[in-house]
Amino acid sequence: MNTLAPFFSFANASRVSWASVPVFSVTKLVRLTGELIRGGARLVAWFGVPDHDETTLVAILAMDDDSILGVARSEPVSGSYPSLTPKYPQAHLFEREAWEQHGLVPVGHPWLKPVRHTNGDAPANAPFFRVEGGEVHEVAVGPVHAGVIEPGHFRFQCAGEEVMHLEIALGYQHRGVEDALAGGPHRGTVFQMEAVAGDSTIAHATAHAMVMEALAGVEAPLRAQWLRAVALELERLANHTGDMGALAMDVAFLPTSSACGKIRGDFLNLTALLCGNRFGRGLVRPGGCMHDLEPERLATLVERLKTHMADVEQAMAWFWDAASVRVRFRNVGVVHPPQAVNIGLVGPAARACGLVRDVRFDHPAGWHRFSQAPVAVWPSGDIFARARVRSLEVQRSGRYLFEQLAEPVDGELRTALGAPQPEALAVALVEGWRGEVCHVALTGHDGRFRRYKIKDPSFHNWSGLALALRGTAVSDFPICNKSFNLSYCGFDL
């Protein structure tokens, strides 16, 4: 049974012909999208495709329980259309983005303002939401921060110390990545993909490679798929370990903070052992992988991994054994499960609200069709839960790697990649360490990119951080922010 009908259903990392994508009036597309979300689907992407002087809206939904995706598009439209957002808040940033990029006004959108449109050297931020009242005051943080982090602006509405509302303004790192991809793939495309979010190089490079392979009608060799899965878990280990250390630092628990800072580097060095680059650049390419893992280096990787996993589990044991740490994180920065569903949270932030939502499990592609790590879930939705999920995922990624490295896959590393299919749409989802990475490519009659859409998990999850702050003390912002640890450049694109 096609639970996404009348949308066209397909599997992750596959392509459909543009002609087979159902076309509806924009009003009907909005209505059908809403009905399917109400029926359990979630919005993966909503974007515009220029069509002469008008725009075609494309909706991509995921039905996680059935492991299928669905796609539909509107007739070319200009002017306005009825907004999805009032009933389905997970659409709010998608609709703001489509308005910013194509001038389509979602009528009824409750907070229509730029996402990353620039005004000179800074984002063109419209006025911020304000709460009125004699005791209410504003606190502005950023875009330049005290630490060595990326730029973003946070505007708090507070009553005393309590946060009533937080609005987050980004766009300071907008590089025009999607515009640069038009007409591609170019010689520089794979390097642009690796730089979408530098700490998620493997996830974005893998999603791009899977899109290109789907368009060409080929599959990467199994050994390459296996190597990508290994590299993806090393990326997860390094970043989760760094986050655990950063959380410890923010509550002045220095043993774990110091240890995890060092161990994060150890995991990055394992990726360097694999491909020569600590962030995995140069490893994943459309058609396969560029570096093999010979038996000698594999044995070295396993021995070092044993040491680093023992170190990180000890550092996390110190963390969880400390009552002062546990108490500081409990019932702070809570996102309730219905909120997580409504705003479409993904990744560890969603799993910390009790949602079993993981692309490796829900929409397995590549090597994850054959082998998966168990999904880690915690129900409480607070900082404690987000730290717990990371901690569990460190353990499970480690076990997964030991299993995989014990039985390496033989075979070729690369396969020849033919020309992309003209007039086709391909979608690839990858579970990066922050959550669902989505790449969508639409080719024109010449097989070149007519539109390339990238969605980093942070696009969904910044709204979760804003909700987590409501009702908390403004002084809780650093640990709340750290518990999400979202990407600025991955959002800004």
Side-chain angles (χ1 to χ4, degrees):
M1 178 180 175
N2 179 6
T3 52
L4 284 175
F7 278 36
F8 186 94
S9 295
F10 60 106
N12 183 19
S14 61
R15 78 174 187 222
V16 300
S17 73
W18 185 236
S20 66
V21 176
V23 182
F24 303 108
S25 69
V26 69
T27 302
K28 188 172 182 180
L29 180 69
V30 168
R31 178 173 61 78
L32 291 172
T33 302
E35 289 174 358
L36 289 169
I37 292 174
R38 195 163 58 246
R42 61 184 177 84
L43 193 58
V44 171
W46 174 274
F47 59 93
V49 178
D51 190 338
H52 302 292
D53 294 332
E54 297 183 303
T55 301
T56 296
L57 280 173
V58 179
I60 298 176
L61 298 174
M63 187 63 84
D64 295 335
D65 291 344
D66 298 328
S67 300
I68 59 170
L69 306 175
V71 61
R73 56 179 163 132
S74 74
E75 297 169 340
V77 60
S78 61
S80 62
Y81 67 94
S83 174
L84 267 170
T85 300
K87 290 184 178 178
Y88 309 102
Q90 59 190 277
H92 82 106
L93 269 174
F94 288 117
E95 291 195 320
R96 283 171 54 182
E97 185 183 53
W99 167 69
E100 179 178 271
Q101 295 179 345
H102 307 285
L104 292 178
V105 179
V107 177
H109 193 291
W111 198 238
L112 194 60
K113 59 184 291 186
V115 175
R116 56 179 83 92
H117 183 65
T118 57
N119 179 18
D121 293 332
N125 288 319
F128 291 92
F129 184 83
R130 299 194 68 172
V131 178
E132 301 294 340
E135 301 295 323
V136 177
H137 63 280
E138 281 191 343
V139 178
V141 178
V144 178
H145 299 273
V148 186
I149 64 171
E150 299 175 277
H153 182 76
F154 302 84
R155 187 70 64 92
F156 297 88
Q157 307 290 309
C158 299
E161 291 294 310
E162 181 180 336
V163 177
M164 303 178 73
H165 182 78
L166 165 62
E167 185 167 356
I168 302 169
L170 303 175
Y172 295 89
Q173 298 207 114
H174 178 45
R175 295 152 288 165
V177 173
E178 291 182 354
D179 289 343
L181 295 170
H186 307 294
R187 291 180 63 185
T189 295
V190 292
F191 307 108
Q192 291 165 331
M193 295 300 174
E194 290 179 331
V196 166
D199 55 16
S200 302
T201 293
I202 297 295
H204 279 286
T206 300
H208 173 66
M210 290 163 65
V211 158
M212 295 304 300
E213 289 154 9
L215 287 173
V218 301
E219 186 173 286
L222 287 179
R223 185 165 177 84
Q225 295 180 29
W226 173 77
L227 277 168
R228 292 174 184 178
V230 167
L232 191 66
E233 296 311 311
L234 287 175
E235 188 170 81
R236 196 180 320 278
L237 278 175
N239 284 291
H240 279 357
T241 300
D243 282 351
M244 293 298 291
L247 279 167
M249 170 67 84
D250 276 0
V251 294
F253 189 70
L254 298 185
T256 298
S257 170
S258 301
C260 285
K262 180 262 185 188
I263 302 165
R264 170 181 174 269
D266 292 334
F267 286 130
L268 291 175
N269 288 339
L270 293 186
T271 300
L273 179 67
L274 185 60
C275 66
N277 183 281
R278 282 157 55 94
F279 294 99
R281 293 191 177 190
L283 175 64
V284 179
R285 290 290 181 270
C289 286
M290 297 299 289
H291 300 273
D292 206 348
L293 187 59
E294 302 85 1
E296 295 77 12
R297 282 193 300 130
L298 188 150
T300 302
L301 195 154
V302 170
E303 286 306 309
R304 292 184 184 177
L305 184 62
K306 288 178 182 174
T307 301
H308 305 332
M309 286 305 302
D311 289 346
V312 74
E313 294 205 16
Q314 178 60 71
M316 290 193 302
W318 295 333
F319 185 91
W320 293 116
D321 284 348
S324 60
V325 171
R326 297 196 305 272
V327 169
R328 186 68 183 86
F329 290 163
R330 283 192 190 279
N331 302 315
V332 178
V334 177
V335 179
H336 300 285
Q339 292 176 316
V341 171
N342 285 339
I343 63 174
L345 278 188
V346 295
R351 296 191 282 277
C353 299
L355 304 185
V356 184
R357 183 172 289 178
D358 188 318
V359 171
R360 294 169 293 176
F361 176 76
D362 298 324
H363 302 277
W367 189 249
H368 294 114
R369 292 171 297 174
F370 312 111
S371 177
Q372 303 160 4
V375 179
V377 176
W378 203 265
S380 53
D382 51 9
I383 296 174
F384 183 94
R386 291 188 283 277
R388 265 295 187 199
V389 167
R390 280 181 170 78
S391 179
L392 288 169
E393 292 191 352
V394 165
Q395 295 174 343
R396 292 175 186 186
S397 289
R399 290 178 197 148
Y400 180 81
L401 282 171
F402 286 128
E403 292 171 5
Q404 297 304 312
L405 295 171
E407 298 183 12
V409 178
D410 295 327
E412 301 293 325
L413 269 187
R414 292 184 292 278
T415 190
L417 200 68
Q421 178 77 22
E423 303 284 348
L425 180 139
V427 180
L429 306 182
V430 172
E431 186 69 20
W433 66 275
R434 283 195 182 93
E436 179 184 282
V437 167
C438 173
H439 284 221
V440 184
L442 172 65
T443 55
H445 62 87
D446 56 356
R448 313 294 292 182
F449 294 151
R450 179 180 170 190
R451 182 78 163 92
Y452 197 103
K453 185 80 194 81
I454 299 171
K455 191 205 64 184
D456 188 84
S458 301
F459 193 79
H460 291 286
N461 289 359
W462 279 112
S463 301
L465 173 62
L467 287 178
L469 262 294
R470 288 187 181 178
T472 69
V474 69
S475 56
D476 287 333
F477 173 62
I479 54 174
C480 278
N481 191 22
K482 199 73 69 183
S483 70
F484 280 87
N485 192 15
L486 302 174
S487 174
Y488 298 71
C489 63
F491 177 95
D492 291 348
L493 295 177

